[in-house]
Amino acid sequence: MGFSKDFIWGAATASYQIEGAYNEDGKGLNIWDAFSSDGTHVKYKENGNVACDHYHRWKEDVAIMKELGIKAYRFSVSWTRILPDGIGRINEKGIKFYSDLVDELIANNITPMITIYHWDYPLALHDKGGWRNPESSEWFLEYTKVVVDSLSDRVSYWITLNEPQCDIGCGNKDGTHAPFEKHNARDLLIMGRNVLLSHGKAADYIRNNAKTKATIGYAPTGPCVIPRDDSAEAIEKARKKTFWCGGPAFPYSSSYWSDPIFLGKYPDELTEEYGDLVPEFTPDEWKLVTTPLDFYGMNIYFANEGEKEGEYSDIYFQGKMSTNIGWPLTPDVLYWSSKFMYERYGKPIIITENGMASHDWVCVDGKVHDSYRIDYLTRYLRAYKRAAEEGIPLLGYIQWSLMDNFEWSHGYTQRFGMVYVDYPTQKRTIKDSGYWYKNVIESNGENL
């Protein structure tokens, strides 16, 4: 027994990372437009103003997906391409872009999977306090309504939020992502409350107003600690560390962002440590936050921590196997994260992001021979397949990423794609890993 016969094999991108056209056809500015262009926060002063020019090349990109046999395409909508000011005035040209993209995907037998929010917060709303503003969940609902009302006649897969850990943790705790700010615990807890409520209002609206039957989830990331061995003691230790929510790093916790949604409560460590600083929900708000979901999306690339022996852990040490971005190679994390999340939250799993940054280039034969990515994906998918063979309900695997793109504060230094993008010319070249993935899809993972 391996992956189910209706298993979803897909690829993912995000709007700011690929679209470009940052100020075309009525689009408003978001925080990445504004703050990555100031020349102080992103490597080599790069930005996503052009990125992969997907806004103009989307038909070519869909044709590539079809060539690779991609079954589902996970993409995010740019909030300010739809609502230039975040609320109020609707930009019909923005809606047309996504509507045309959806039509093209469906015409090529590719299932569209929409992520409503992938970090590109409207600048106009940021200037009003952003996620700290008590009205922010209503702003998010207004935006969600426009997207769902426009596209749900053809789109059935929905993801409300991508990686709130990074949006709040990197963006507002440590200041390494837009808006590049550092807030105290009180403000972070207020932001977290408004993000969770935004998710709930969006999920509730989709559930009750989508024009076709909706399959709804969301896509957190977060730590997963893998056990040192298969003993019951090691597994329980790893599970406890995986869901730990104590200390100032709580915005990066898995349980902080998932316990309220799936269990209807904050993690005990959080309330014990922060007490009255933790903002509560009213009973009606809890009903929204806990709106039933259909799957648990997971963006996961590597395991956290590791058992220490002397100065080194078994994961982090000089000379470790790692990707170009420095993340350790820990394939078993796909097995253990699927197991731990399913056991705690009881929802079928979709890996909504997994992949690697490699040091790719076009070789003298005109091809991109990214053998390390093929090796990485083989290892990780074998671990994921182990979860399927043990009966954990796995709905799909969405590889990050379809194409090389703007990698946030790393600029264009990290190539995650199955498709090589030559940024000066925008020429696309399918890498060896793309053709390998096509074969995996055709065999439904039987040839791993």
Side-chain angles (χ1 to χ4, degrees):
M1 183 183 74
F3 299 116
S4 62
K5 62 181 181 180
D6 55 353
F7 190 80
I8 302 168
W9 295 98
T13 64
S15 55
Y16 186 75
Q17 294 180 269
I18 68 165
E19 283 182 5
Y22 82 103
N23 62 353
E24 291 187 36
D25 291 341
K27 179 185 170 295
L29 295 180
N30 61 54
I31 56 175
W32 280 95
D33 292 321
F35 298 122
S36 61
S37 297
D38 68 4
T40 60
H41 296 105
V42 179
K43 276 190 175 181
Y44 307 115
K45 301 182 179 181
E46 293 174 328
N47 57 52
N49 290 358
V50 176
C52 305
D53 198 29
H54 175 72
Y55 187 74
H56 299 110
R57 297 172 179 266
W58 55 274
K59 282 195 175 182
E60 176 185 359
D61 294 335
V62 173
I64 290 172
M65 287 184 242
K66 182 178 182 180
E67 182 176 352
L68 295 182
I70 300 297
K71 300 299 183 185
Y73 176 46
R74 179 193 168 207
F75 64 96
S76 72
V77 173
S78 169
W79 190 334
T80 56
R81 201 177 291 285
I82 297 289
L83 293 166
D85 302 310
I87 53 176
R89 177 173 55 92
I90 297 173
N91 179 27
E92 295 296 338
K93 289 184 177 180
I95 292 174
K96 185 178 186 303
F97 168 71
Y98 293 109
S99 181
D100 289 347
L101 174 60
V102 166
D103 285 344
E104 188 75 5
L105 290 167
I106 293 171
N108 286 278
N109 296 314
I110 301 168
T111 299
M113 304 178 77
I114 287 184
T115 302
I116 295 174
Y117 177 71
H118 196 132
W119 308 349
D120 48 356
Y121 204 85
L123 181 63
L125 298 184
H126 171 73
D127 290 342
K128 295 182 178 181
W131 290 122
R132 285 177 293 163
N133 192 310
E135 297 180 24
S136 57
S137 64
E138 281 298 300
W139 300 338
F140 192 79
L141 176 59
E142 181 178 338
Y143 161 52
T144 298
K145 287 180 177 179
V146 176
V147 177
V148 173
D149 291 351
S150 302
L151 302 176
S152 66
D153 58 330
R154 289 154 290 161
V155 175
S156 58
Y157 280 88
W158 298 90
I159 294 168
T160 56
L161 302 168
N162 182 80
E163 294 186 3
Q165 290 93 337
C166 295
D167 192 38
I168 301 304
C170 297
N172 294 280
K173 178 187 180 295
D174 294 328
T176 56
H177 280 191
F180 303 102
E181 296 179 353
K182 297 182 179 182
H183 291 273
N184 59 31
R186 176 183 175 275
D187 282 352
L188 294 170
L189 288 163
I190 290 170
M191 292 180 195
R193 177 190 189 279
N194 290 329
V195 170
L196 288 165
L197 188 54
S198 294
H199 157 81
K201 289 181 177 181
D204 177 74
Y205 187 81
I206 297 167
R207 181 69 71 208
N208 292 302
N209 296 278
K211 298 172 184 176
T212 57
K213 180 175 172 55
T215 302
I216 310 169
Y218 102 124
T221 183
C224 178
V225 177
I226 59 179
R228 183 66 177 269
D229 53 49
D230 287 336
S231 68
E233 293 80 9
I235 293 171
E236 186 54 35
K237 183 178 180 181
R239 180 186 287 107
K240 185 174 181 179
K241 284 187 174 182
T242 293
F243 294 108
W244 179 252
C245 189
F250 70 85
Y252 292 105
S253 165
S254 294
S255 58
Y256 175 66
W257 295 106
S258 295
D259 280 15
I261 291 171
F262 296 98
L263 304 182
K265 63 187 286 292
Y266 283 113
D268 292 340
E269 301 95 353
L270 186 80
T271 53
E272 289 170 4
E273 182 161 352
Y274 290 100
D276 292 342
L277 281 182
V278 180
E280 262 297 344
F281 296 105
T282 67
D284 286 342
E285 288 172 338
W286 271 119
K287 289 180 182 178
L288 292 169
V289 171
T290 57
T291 297
L293 301 183
D294 300 297
F295 65 89
Y296 190 94
M298 274 197 310
N299 297 354
I300 194 148
Y301 296 84
F302 59 92
N304 291 66
E305 294 190 26
E307 296 291 331
K308 285 191 173 183
E309 290 184 358
E311 295 182 10
Y312 296 138
S313 79
D314 52 358
I315 292 175
Y316 291 95
F317 54 90
Q318 298 301 322
K320 66 182 180 296
M321 290 193 295
S322 62
T323 67
N324 199 52
I325 204 170
W327 297 345
L329 187 72
T330 58
D332 284 346
V333 73
L334 282 201
Y335 167 76
W336 288 107
S337 59
S338 299
K339 179 179 176 65
F340 287 161
M341 300 305 164
Y342 176 67
E343 287 175 350
R344 188 175 180 96
Y345 300 124
K347 293 294 179 181
I349 302 294
I350 298 180
I351 296 298
T352 38
E353 282 185 28
N354 172 250
M356 71 162 286
S358 189
H359 195 65
D360 303 328
W361 63 76
V362 179
C363 297
V364 292
D365 61 0
K367 300 177 181 179
V368 181
H369 301 299
D370 56 338
S371 61
Y372 285 109
R373 181 172 291 106
I374 293 172
D375 185 79
Y376 173 103
L377 294 171
T378 299
R379 292 169 185 253
Y380 275 71
L381 281 169
R382 284 176 178 174
Y384 195 42
K385 191 175 182 179
R386 177 187 169 193
E389 289 169 345
E390 292 190 9
I392 297 170
L394 308 181
L395 300 183
Y397 174 86
I398 313 299
Q399 189 184 151
W400 185 271
S401 171
L402 173 67
M403 67 183 80
D404 298 334
N405 53 52
F406 177 83
E407 186 52 39
W408 309 112
S409 57
H410 293 278
Y412 295 94
T413 64
Q414 305 298 323
R415 293 184 177 273
F416 275 88
M418 291 182 285
V419 177
Y420 183 94
V421 179
D422 180 69
Y423 298 114
T425 66
Q426 292 296 333
K427 181 180 178 181
R428 274 83 158 132
T429 302
I430 297 173
K431 304 176 188 180
D432 287 355
S433 63
Y435 293 114
W436 171 87
Y437 193 49
K438 178 180 182 179
N439 184 259
V440 170
I441 294 170
E442 289 173 348
S443 71
N444 199 34
E446 288 302 312
N447 60 349
L448 288 169

